[in-house]
Amino acid sequence: MHREPLAERLANEIRSRGPISASAFIGAALYDPAEGFYVRAGATGRAGRRGDFLTAPEVGPLFGAVLANALDTWWIDAGEPDDWVVREVGAGPGTLARSIIAAAPACLERRALRLELVELSDAQRSMHPVDGAIESFSASPAGRCDVVLANELLDNLPFDIAQRSVEGWREVLVDIRGAAFVEHLGGIVDIDLGVDAEPGIQLPLHRAAGEWIRANRSASCRLLAFDYAAPIDVLAERDGGWLRTFREHGAGTHWLDQPGSQDITTDLAVEQIVAAADGLLMTSQAQYLRVHGIEALVREGREIWEAGAPAGGLAALKGRSRVREAETLLDPDGMGAFTVFEWAPAARST
Ligand SMILES: C[S@@+](CC[C@H](N)C(=O)[O-])C[C@H]1O[C@@H](n2cnc3c(N)ncnc32)[C@H](O)[C@@H]1O
């Protein structure tokens, strides 16, 4: 079946129905079934050293090893149930799951752990590891679960944009002029941004992220999201720099250019995530990884390296690699400063 290119489809929609929301444009640019940056097969929309951006699981197996520790802690606290369901949403190619399995946590060894990987992109889902403990889904399954994890998902959920004008904060819509997509100011926004700013300043509106949090928040399940975030007044000072585009490990171009050709992400405005659901605990990624044992894992890696270095070999190299990975994951000017949003369960349902 012939299908018009994504840019033409969006342009025609705007011509016939008027300007569309930023989230509708970004949703199509990232997740259009035929041309979305994350959805089309091939090199686009991939995390990893050979992909478009580097995330904590892709730095190496250490991030997953620390999370495996955390999963064991919560599993033990819950009374070592026979069935321990951990759902990772936005799992990309499944790298975090690979590292968790490789770390061999007790909940896995005791055959309690079931890892549900939810990834909407077929191309990425096809890269998921094949393992008895892992099941892949294109959308979250209906069953109960004990932990929901999301690494760098919320920043990639389609967001809207508000712009300060003399009358207040107005919605930034997407219009078409000639063949180019352009920003167009719509009505007053329905969210109290809780900050004042000069006319012209833009800020993100995380409506879809808020909905996702509310849909995944439940009294019996721990919800955990790792992402880059900052208070709204800090974002207001970034003069639009909270919106970033990426392509092949470099900066992309304007977010309205060539939909489908680049990643479009936002720094999260902390206040909007806090407002999404009650019971949130927040900490830096560095602090969270320390609480769950990263330093002991690095010490162990260093000992393995020092003991095995003369002979070389994979175990020794892996040990040394932990030291380097920890430097990246804990970097106070980089991933270490990311935010961990955690909503703890009230009780485990049986
Ligand atoms: C930035 S990537 C992060 C991948 C991986 N978590 C990591 O840290 O390397 C975001 C991923 O979320 C996926 N995604 C976005 N919205 C989703 C949704 N509603 N359900 C499942 N996956 C989604 C995208 O296709 C993409 O693979």
Side-chain angles (χ1 to χ4, degrees):
M1 189 184 78
H2 172 71
R3 212 177 173 162
E4 283 179 326
L6 174 60
E8 254 173 66
R9 274 185 278 137
L10 287 168
N12 287 339
E13 186 186 334
I14 295 170
R15 284 187 195 109
S16 65
R17 292 208 231 137
I20 59 173
S21 65
S23 57
F25 182 92
I26 294 168
L30 299 184
Y31 306 116
D32 177 78
E35 289 184 60
F37 178 77
Y38 277 101
V39 178
R40 57 199 224 193
T44 51
R46 272 206 60 187
R49 292 195 181 279
R50 277 164 302 168
D52 297 280
F53 48 85
L54 190 66
T55 59
E58 300 288 348
V59 166
L62 183 58
F63 184 75
V66 179
L67 278 184
N69 275 347
L71 294 180
D72 264 353
T73 304
W74 302 323
W75 176 66
I76 291 163
D77 286 351
E80 303 186 12
D82 293 339
D83 190 30
W84 184 241
V85 183
V86 175
R87 182 174 299 160
E88 190 199 353
V89 185
T95 308
L96 178 58
R98 270 190 190 84
S99 301
I100 291 173
I101 298 283
C107 57
L108 176 72
E109 300 287 282
R110 295 264 302 279
R111 297 179 182 276
L113 180 64
R114 277 199 288 136
L115 273 173
E116 296 180 341
L117 305 191
V118 184
E119 171 52 58
L120 59 72
S121 156
D122 293 346
Q124 306 227 33
R125 222 170 40 257
S126 70
M127 293 184 252
H128 286 179
V130 177
D131 186 287
I134 293 179
E135 224 181 323
S136 294
F137 300 87
S138 59
S140 289
R144 60 159 281 278
C145 65
D146 297 287
V147 181
V148 172
L149 293 174
N151 190 65
E152 294 201 24
L153 169 74
L154 299 184
D155 67 88
N156 258 156
L157 294 181
F159 52 93
D160 288 298
I161 301 175
Q163 179 169 316
R164 182 75 204 189
S165 71
V166 279
E167 313 89 63
W169 290 98
R170 291 174 64 186
E171 188 101 18
V172 174
L173 302 175
V174 179
D175 203 354
I176 184 100
R177 193 175 303 142
F181 294 105
V182 292
E183 295 180 3
H184 171 94
L185 275 193
I188 299 288
V189 301
D190 57 356
I191 295 177
D192 176 11
L193 280 155
V195 67
D196 205 5
E198 293 292 310
I201 294 290
Q202 295 186 339
L203 285 170
L205 299 171
H206 307 300
R207 293 183 177 114
E211 276 163 28
W212 185 87
I213 290 164
R214 285 187 288 280
N216 284 277
R217 172 81 180 113
S218 93
S220 58
C221 181
R222 182 179 303 270
L223 176 59
L224 201 55
F226 297 79
D227 229 307
Y228 29 90
I232 193 99
D233 56 339
V234 174
L235 297 191
E237 281 162 20
R238 289 188 185 161
D239 194 17
W242 51 265
L243 188 163
R244 272 166 285 135
T245 59
F246 293 101
R247 185 189 287 133
E248 292 170 8
H249 275 305
T253 57
H254 192 277
W255 66 281
L256 290 173
D257 290 344
Q258 295 175 295
S261 69
Q262 57 186 351
D263 195 7
I264 306 173
T265 79
T266 172
D267 293 348
L268 298 174
V270 164
E271 292 83 347
Q272 292 180 40
I273 304 304
V274 171
D278 291 342
L280 171 66
L281 300 168
M282 246 181 357
T283 185
S284 71
Q285 180 155 296
Q287 175 64 11
Y288 200 80
L289 296 180
R290 287 195 172 101
V291 165
H292 290 289
I294 193 169
E295 274 152 355
L297 286 166
V298 172
R299 256 195 319 277
E300 182 190 81
R302 194 175 278 122
E303 283 162 17
I304 294 171
W305 162 243
E306 282 164 4
L314 199 56
L317 288 176
K318 276 189 181 163
R320 185 177 60 172
S321 156
R322 273 193 189 170
V323 179
R324 301 230 174 99
E325 289 171 43
E327 282 166 12
T328 304
L329 295 173
L330 300 176
D331 179 1
D333 297 319
M335 286 186 188
F338 283 16
T339 303
V340 184
F341 299 98
E342 181 173 28
W343 290 266
R348 181 180 150 85
S349 63
T350 48

